[in-house]
Amino acid sequence: MTPDDAIEVTGLSKRFKGFALKDVSFRLPRGYIGGLIGPNGAGKTTIIKIIMNLVRPDAGAVKVFGLDHRAHEVEVKSRIGFVYDVPGFWGDISLNAHRRALGRFYPRWNDAVFDRLASEFELPVNKHFKALSHGMQTKFALVMALSHDADLLIMDEPTAGLDPLFRRDLLQRLSTLLQDERKSVLFSTHITSDLARVADFITLIRKGEVALSLPKDELLDRWAVARGDAAMLGRIDPAILRGSRRRAFGVEALVSDVNALRRAIGPEAVVDKATLDDVMVLMTAGDAHAA
Amino acid sequence: MLRKLFMKDVILNGKVFLGLLWLFVWVAYAARDLNGAGMATVLGGVAATLMTVTLGAREERFHAAAVSLSLPITRREFVRYRYLAGHLVGVAAFILTCVLMAIVPWSKPTAAQIFDPRTMMFALVAVSLTIAFGLPFVLRFGVVGLFVGLGSLQLIGLATFLLGAAVSGALGIRGVFVACERIIISTHQGLGSAAYAAELLAAVALVTWMSYRVSLWLIERRDL
């Protein structure tokens, strides 16, 4: 880990009944937005819960800002704003009471920021938490996470359940937040279009394992999808073939080097730059190929 | 940190504290017929149990345990706080009960009976043992776990009772209650001796410490 890493996850393993996280490693440099993508049940939430020390790993290590997340739990968590996949606040208590009860734990808690964000998000701060819609509950969780000047935001599916307008607004806020180079964001989602807008690094989780982890620009610049007949697959170097699936018209192949692909298959196949959607679908739902 | 956790519980669970007030209204009303020593002790234990169980139940109901443990606190601090808060509430309930019984004009027990040092120590023992038994279950398995634990104890008790009946050839259910009463009375009387009191308090402290270590071990392994 370099001193400039916000998160370094090394060799995480966790076994549950019917599911196992296997040797998960990735890093997020400070000052960047990292996205965890993968289908439901891939293990994204488990990884985030391990980082937050809500789940105990069977093996592996987590460092946040160079500090072991368990040995320096208080310091690490003071610097994290966390948004849960299912916000679990006290249902019969008002949002304002939550602010008073929970804000006191954070040394850099700022009531003025809470008030401003609550107003901008049109949150009814005197209402009970359970009276809010799911989208509003997520907004409240975001306000709590953003009100203590956290150096690292960790968000588990924050955009699920939000309307498109607010999703766009949230992503804009995350980009603005990153203008402060000390701040970093890790968020999981299965809405890949959100990450395409803002993420700097992508980590794809498939069946409890890291299928890929690399800068988004490298992925979008160099990865491609080729569409052609079944014979095309045989001409692609297995070293660059990362996933494929058979369609009615032929096959789709995901490759990690567009130039090598063009050299290999010639002009008869259709080649497009890969989107995050292509990457996720072809690497998780299609026939995945090892790197 | 403990103060922050206490304030968090006061703000987020204040309704629970208010919900316990009916107990004290009843105590004030019933003081004319009550045995001060016994009732004050029982009430302290009941209040501590209700608080312990209800805080756990509310966190379960709202799936809020993850929120609590994602705050900048360690699990060790969280467990330590729960033990301290349980004792605090139990002792506060006991003191409030004693004061109420002493000041209502129709109260049967005298102030001297109520503020008897033996009764106070007995209350502390009752509260501590209640917490020592209940908290590990609540912290690791939630409220359902506590009830499973209580149910298991009842089954063990029933089995022991039936075994005893089979051996002796008689169902001496009255004898069980008499034995329990004797234990309570002799403990209460024994607290008059400084040596006995010291031994009992040391034993309770040891049980509480062991319960705390068990809770810590359990919650360190709890996945949320």
Side-chain angles (χ1 to χ4, degrees), chain A residues 7-12 24-28 36 47 51 186 203 205 210 213:
Chain A
I7 300 177
E8 184 190 33
V9 167
T10 314
L12 279 190
V24 169
S25 301
F26 67 91
R27 51 184 282 269
L28 174 66
L36 277 179
I47 292 169
I51 294 172
L186 175 71
T203 299
I205 308 295
V210 174
S213 187

Side-chain angles (χ1 to χ4, degrees), chain A residues 28-69:
Chain A
L28 174 66
R30 197 180 298 215
Y32 291 95
I33 297 181
L36 277 179
I37 59 172
N40 291 332
K44 305 184 296 291
T45 295
T46 303
I47 292 169
I48 284 179
K49 284 185 169 179
I50 289 175
I51 294 172
M52 289 303 298
N53 196 23
L54 296 175
V55 167
R56 181 188 167 98
D58 298 331
V62 175
K63 286 189 175 177
V64 178
F65 301 118
L67 303 171
D68 182 272
H69 77 310

